[in-house]
Amino acid sequence: DFQPSRDTLHINTTLAHELAHEWWGNQITGHDYCDMWMHEGMATFSEAMVISELYDPEYYDYYIRWLSRNIDNERPLLKTCGVRYNSWVSYKDADIYNKGALLMHTVRRQMDDDSLFLELLRNALLAFDRKNVTTETFVQFMDEQTNQDLQSLFNLYLRHVKPPIFQYRYDSIQGELKYKWSEPLKTDFSFRVDMRMDDQVSSLYPESSYQSVKVDQRPKFDVADFGYVLIEALE
């Protein structure tokens, strides 16, 4: 994987994050404390978007990988609404930052239409300008603007503790890759997993039982390509 040196990446991500709150936090404000992931997740995602804008996409991919390695998966992103608590007290609630960002990255990659994705974000800022917005309202808006089942995709990450677990088994002798989800996805969303071999990328659509495909080398799976899942190589 691409690894930028300290001499090539000069950016204050904290500054980018806090400036992003002018839009995600001030222009759009969560209705309840449970909606805080919209503030912190979107601001953290903005860090990656700024890096991509100032440098190039491989730097964005690098940052996404780094974020994915710093997620605890101890509690759902969407907290219980209408209760009094402070999520910053416990590290178990800190996923509203990195996992919130990875949720938006996953939506972006699964949509596979950057122009539409960025238009959705701009339209959301206009539609909810200076309003208090619930998670449900925000997600419904995103869903209605596309022909994809984004509501189911959002719920995978908002309401469940762990992301989907993608398992694969590579047989070098048979030249075969077997793959599946470790458990059935709690959604009908057709989740795409990209398989990279050299410069070629193929799309897989795992199910809860093994499928197989012929390969001539061990493929690579990168969350930067298709979204945040846990990847388990079974031997």
Side-chain angles (χ1 to χ4, degrees), residues 162-171 176-185 191 193-195 204-213 218-221 226 228-235:
K162 292 184 180 295
I165 301 175
F166 173 75
Q167 296 177 326
Y168 73 92
R169 193 182 303 271
Y170 170 62
D171 187 333
E176 183 180 52
L177 181 84
K178 292 185 177 181
Y179 61 94
K180 70 180 183 72
W181 297 120
S182 65
E183 298 179 0
L185 294 190
F191 199 112
V193 172
D194 290 334
M195 175 177 65
L204 307 176
Y205 292 89
E207 299 176 357
S208 56
S209 57
Y210 273 115
Q211 298 168 267
S212 63
V213 62
R218 179 183 287 275
K220 293 183 179 179
F221 298 98
F226 54 86
Y228 179 50
V229 303
L230 300 182
I231 301 171
E232 292 185 355
L234 305 177
E235 301 299 341

Side-chain angles (χ1 to χ4, degrees), residues 11-21 43 47 63:
I11 181 173
N12 187 324
T13 54
T14 300
L15 178 60
H17 181 104
E18 300 308 330
L19 285 174
H21 280 313
E47 297 172 25
Y63 200 66

